[in-house]
Amino acid sequence: MYEAKKTLCALGLSYEKMHACPNDCILYRKEYEDSTNCPTCGISRWKEGKDSILKEGVPAKVVWYFPPIPRFKRMFQSHETAKSLIWHAARKSIDGQMSHPADSPSWKLLDDKWPEFGNEPRNLRLDLSSDGFNPHSSLSSRYSCWPVILVTYNLPPWLCMKRKFMMLTLLIFGPKQPRNDIDVYLEPLIDDLKSLWVGIRGVYDAHNGEYFTLRAALMWTINDFPAYENLSGCVVKGYKACPICGDDTPSHRLKNGHKICYIGHRKWLPINHPYRRQRAAFNGKPEYGIPPEPLTREEVLHMVENGDRVCWKKKSIFFDLEYWKYLLVRHALDVMHIEKNVCDSIISTLLEIPGKNKDGIAARLDLLNMGVKTDLQPEYGERRTRLPPGPWNLSKAEKIEVCNSFYGMKVPEGYSSNIKNLVSLQFSRLLGLKSHDCHTLMQQLLPVAIRSVLEKPARYAITRLCFFFNAICAKTVDVSKLDKLEEDVVVTLCLLEKYFPPSFFDIMVHLVVHLVREVRLCGPVYFRWMYPFERYMKVLKGYVQNRTRPGGCIAERYIAEEAVEFCTQHLSDVSTVGVPSSQKMGVSKPLSGCTVSVVDQDLLNQAHLYVLENTEEVLPYIEQHMIHIKTAYPKFRNRTK
Ligand SMILES: [Zn+2]
Ligand SMILES: [Zn+2]
């Protein structure tokens, strides 16, 4: 066992255990290496036993650090991986289209500002993600584990976000979440990133067979919204919750709902748009404001350095990186969580799911307070209060219809989880929606399910929102269409404001307005969402076998997997760990027994036409036919189909 570990260390497969103060003040490294008490809070470094006697040598809190530099070096030692790492430079980019972060302004900024960095395709562009999970599943709700994961954008998209290339760098364990003190733990990682920016000499590149100086830059971080606050230091609650609008976040306090809603998206409309003058449909006032400009780099830096306590709680440790202040987007908004929260809000408001419903007596009273939609105010009866149906309310029959529609949906294999299992016909509800279920709902299924219910304007608004999410998640982004998309989403949000109660507009709904900006600056969404990381956290969770030592389990098994994976590179005919093989339909498993049915000629013709229209081989014939028609009959010149 000892021998095996020694070999692993030599290969660069090792980790460091760092002791930390249980109150998240410091790591016992550098000048505190030999201290036994925390210099800030005075608590001992050692763990207290049951009899309140300090157990010397047993640390109170440990952080696992997996140094990334030897791992990057090892990536270049493999011929194939080294070749993949310069994939981004060899690819052909199409003008006006973004299909990889390499097409984005954020990537080009690094190239332009530091040409000596940008000219070397082997220099790495990284992205950091962190999120908390509970390693004990349901056993203890307090305990949390925060892995910090690095991803290399140099790799081709089919490898970039795969388990094999997700680099675990830090594991922070504790009974409570590290919150804003996460900077303390990021210190060793930031030190390594600093030296990576300066350059690591003598890295062997197996593809070109030469030594070179490796450099790396962190492009942005990806987090869910609460972690956004922890990593950026920017406040994400209260009146100024939007990190992009900052001081000018359009917020409004609801007196009866006791919360803050974020309405006022008419600011983003063109100045002469008719909605701006409408009063009763919105908040009772006309809107002539201009949209808040996103904070510039200088403003952010100024606020961060001068300690503007309202919006910025701390200067995040990432500013220690020399290039960090110049970046266009430092922390990306996570589309996955935004989509899930918006979907949850819509579903629970439509189906009136208790506890999550944004409508209610308080919401109606708030409408009354704002002086709009006064016909919707609650009618107090002797036994119960009646709420007149608003544009967002479904009747009982309609709810059943929506649920039946979901219940009857059949989707191709691998498209989503079985929707049938999510529907409770008895209570007319959808239960246990996971983020991917919400994704499929918002992408395609929800507009189908609500097509025959609701009044047209409200249904139209929801459908537009779904189309927006569908468009924003495209794998290839057409830059020329982004402006139109941004205009459209503003109108969509205004329509929602028209037909939904103000309490519906939590910060997640507001963030939708900024998504197009991030796509424009950072490229396609699927490089910046949390799905791969959440999946990876499930893998890490599966590593925990000894419930008393979850950290050790994860660290050891991670190292072991890395070692196995490293060894398989030198063996032929072995598939590597962490890159899924493509699913071969019908080859790996037997087909189910077929049923023969005879169909009439009409249906057969329809099916035949459908197959023809959706077969790639037939396309040239259709095109030829169209050309023939257009030349033979000039009056059909403008037709496309
Ligand atoms: Zn302390
Ligand atoms: Zn905003």
Side-chain angles (χ1 to χ4, degrees):
M1 191 66 194
Y2 172 71
E3 285 292 318
K5 275 194 174 169
K6 225 167 93 178
T7 323
L8 292 184
C9 277
L11 288 170
L13 297 157
S14 65
Y15 60 80
E16 289 167 30
K17 257 167 116 174
M18 291 179 185
H19 299 177
C21 165
N23 289 338
D24 307 328
C25 313
I26 54 147
L27 283 178
Y28 289 96
R29 62 195 282 272
K30 289 186 180 169
E31 68 264 36
Y32 304 120
E33 181 87 58
D34 301 316
S35 322
T36 49
N37 284 78
C38 168
T40 317
C41 66
I43 279 189
S44 167
R45 175 172 178 168
W46 311 121
K47 195 174 183 174
E48 222 172 68
K50 275 181 190 155
D51 40 6
S52 348
I53 299 167
L54 291 176
K55 293 182 186 170
E56 198 152 314
V58 183
K61 183 163 182 171
V62 186
V63 174
W64 281 263
Y65 181 58
F66 306 79
I69 295 176
R71 289 176 165 80
F72 286 134
K73 282 185 182 167
R74 218 178 48 241
M75 277 165 90
F76 277 102
Q77 276 164 20
S78 149
H79 180 81
E80 233 156 71
T81 315
K83 198 176 162 193
S84 309
L85 283 168
I86 50 169
W87 175 88
H88 67 97
R91 62 188 274 276
K92 283 194 195 112
S93 63
I94 305 164
D95 259 359
Q97 300 225 325
M98 281 200 277
S99 55
H100 189 269
D103 300 325
S104 70
S106 296
W107 188 290
K108 285 173 186 148
L109 177 104
L110 283 173
D111 290 352
D112 296 342
K113 205 160 174 67
W114 295 277
E116 75 285 5
F117 177 84
N119 290 337
E120 171 59 84
R122 284 175 292 199
N123 285 339
L124 302 172
R125 325 260 174 151
L126 309 172
D127 130 51
L128 181 147
S129 173
S130 178
D131 196 6
F133 69 88
N134 181 355
H136 300 305
S137 304
S138 53
L139 283 178
S140 142
S141 56
R142 279 173 63 235
Y143 210 79
S144 85
C145 166
W146 283 69
V148 178
I149 301 164
L150 280 183
V151 163
T152 317
Y153 279 140
N154 293 38
L155 293 163
W158 56 91
L159 294 177
C160 170
M161 293 294 212
K162 293 296 181 308
R163 179 169 148 196
K164 179 178 168 183
F165 294 103
M166 284 192 168
M167 202 175 280
L168 183 68
T169 52
L170 260 178
L171 266 180
I172 307 161
F173 273 88
K176 60 180 178 25
Q177 300 187 344
R179 298 197 185 270
N180 286 332
D181 298 319
I182 195 166
D183 282 7
V184 172
Y185 301 109
L186 288 174
E187 228 176 70
L189 179 61
I190 298 290
D191 285 349
D192 271 352
L193 284 173
K194 273 189 218 163
S195 41
L196 273 167
W197 176 247
V198 176
I200 305 288
R201 282 164 189 279
V203 177
Y204 183 69
D205 172 5
H207 179 54
N208 291 324
E210 59 180 20
Y211 288 91
F212 74 109
T213 307
L214 173 70
R215 298 179 67 188
L218 187 65
M219 305 263 294
W220 49 69
T221 70
I222 312 175
N223 310 96
D224 59 357
F225 206 52
Y228 193 110
E229 175 170 6
N230 303 147
L231 283 181
S232 67
C234 170
V235 175
V236 296
K237 293 186 197 83
Y239 287 105
K240 297 171 181 178
C242 176
I244 292 148
C245 301
D247 274 344
D248 302 320
T249 307
S251 50
H252 175 85
R253 192 180 143 74
L254 298 173
K255 285 203 184 85
N256 297 288
H258 302 294
K259 60 179 175 183
I260 295 165
C261 70
Y262 303 88
I263 50 173
H265 293 100
R266 283 182 294 165
K267 276 185 189 172
W268 276 267
L269 287 171
I271 201 76
N272 51 0
H273 198 280
Y275 285 175
R276 279 181 175 260
R277 292 187 296 277
Q278 291 180 6
R279 293 158 195 260
F282 292 94
N283 57 358
K285 295 175 205 140
E287 172 71 69
Y288 298 113
I290 49 164
E293 285 286 319
L295 294 173
T296 61
R297 307 187 259 266
E298 291 75 24
E299 280 171 333
V300 169
L301 200 65
H302 180 82
M303 283 169 91
V304 167
E305 279 181 344
N306 297 330
D308 175 355
R309 305 299 287 180
V310 184
C311 269
W312 297 84
K313 279 191 178 160
K314 63 171 184 187
K315 182 178 178 183
S316 105
I317 192 166
F318 291 106
F319 280 100
D320 290 358
L321 300 170
E322 187 194 323
Y323 50 87
W324 192 249
K325 59 183 177 215
Y326 297 106
L327 298 182
L328 297 168
V329 173
R330 280 171 283 270
H331 306 277
L333 294 172
D334 171 35
V335 176
M336 178 191 112
H337 280 96
I338 294 177
E339 197 178 28
K340 166 154 195 337
N341 285 303
V342 171
C343 179
D344 270 345
S345 301
I346 293 180
I347 296 278
S348 45
T349 307
L350 289 183
L351 299 178
E352 292 174 51
I353 296 172
K356 287 183 180 173
N357 189 359
K358 305 278 177 182
D359 186 21
I361 297 178
R364 302 299 176 98
L365 290 175
D366 283 320
L367 277 176
L368 192 65
N369 260 343
M370 290 164 74
V372 292
K373 303 190 181 94
T374 37
D375 51 325
L376 296 180
Q377 56 177 294
E379 291 159 11
Y380 298 97
E382 278 201 357
R383 295 179 65 188
R384 52 185 292 234
T385 313
R386 201 183 84 86
L387 299 176
W392 56 86
N393 281 118
L394 297 178
S395 68
K396 203 171 176 190
E398 283 179 326
K399 274 186 219 162
I400 293 172
E401 200 175 326
V402 170
C403 287
N404 275 330
S405 175
F406 279 124
Y407 194 76
M409 276 178 191
K410 280 184 182 165
V411 292
E413 192 184 317
Y415 176 84
S416 70
S417 63
N418 191 354
I419 307 164
K420 240 181 196 177
N421 296 343
L422 305 173
V423 185
S424 152
L425 287 178
Q426 189 187 353
F427 301 105
S428 318
R429 273 181 213 168
L430 294 182
L431 301 170
L433 288 174
K434 293 262 193 290
S435 15
H436 191 261
D437 302 320
C438 289
H439 179 61
T440 47
L441 284 186
M442 289 303 279
Q443 293 286 312
Q444 273 153 342
L445 305 185
L446 186 61
V448 179
I450 58 165
R451 69 196 182 282
S452 61
V453 298
L454 283 175
E455 280 168 39
K456 195 179 169 194
R459 188 176 70 225
Y460 184 57
I462 296 176
T463 312
R464 277 184 69 128
L465 189 67
C466 293
F467 285 166
F468 168 74
F469 273 110
N470 193 313
I472 198 105
C473 294
K475 290 208 163 173
T476 311
V477 180
D478 190 339
V479 182
S480 59
K481 287 184 182 155
L482 285 178
D483 286 332
K484 175 87 174 65
L485 197 63
E486 197 160 29
E487 279 167 33
D488 282 352
V489 73
V490 172
V491 177
T492 308
L493 286 174
C494 292
L495 283 171
L496 286 172
E497 276 185 33
K498 243 175 153 172
Y499 302 112
F500 276 80
S503 48
F504 175 81
F505 297 88
D506 53 13
I507 187 68
M508 287 297 172
V509 181
H510 168 73
L511 289 177
V512 172
V513 86
H514 298 302
L515 291 181
V516 179
R517 170 183 172 262
E518 299 220 331
V519 171
R520 193 179 287 131
L521 294 175
C522 305
V525 160
Y526 76 105
F527 284 98
R528 279 177 293 116
W529 61 18
M530 292 283 290
Y531 284 112
F533 303 104
E534 299 272 339
R535 265 179 228 131
Y536 192 64
M537 277 176 214
K538 183 157 186 291
V539 174
L540 291 182
K541 211 168 169 176
Y543 285 169
V544 181
Q545 287 194 324
N546 182 346
R547 298 245 175 241
T548 50
R549 302 252 184 281
C553 280
I554 294 180
E556 289 296 340
R557 287 190 63 176
Y558 175 75
I559 292 287
E561 186 184 298
E562 248 194 339
V564 170
E565 194 276 314
F566 180 69
C567 299
T568 52
Q569 283 182 358
H570 299 277
L571 304 170
S572 54
D573 284 346
V574 184
S575 56
T576 57
V577 184
V579 180
S581 56
S582 63
Q583 285 185 0
K584 291 188 188 72
M585 301 286 280
V587 176
S588 53
K589 57 179 181 183
L591 293 166
S592 57
C594 65
T595 40
V596 179
S597 60
V598 180
V599 294
D600 56 35
Q601 193 60 36
D602 278 352
L603 195 60
L604 190 69
N605 283 344
Q606 268 181 20
H608 187 221
L609 183 67
Y610 182 84
V611 171
L612 283 183
E613 281 194 335
N614 290 288
T615 313
E616 219 169 287
E617 283 80 12
V618 183
L619 275 178
Y621 295 99
I622 296 180
E623 273 166 23
Q624 262 186 25
H625 178 65
M626 288 306 293
I627 292 167
H628 172 73
I629 289 186
K630 281 177 188 172
T631 43
Y633 307 98
K635 67 173 176 181
F636 293 130
R637 227 182 7 243
N638 296 329
R639 288 198 36 182
T640 52
K641 262 205 155 166

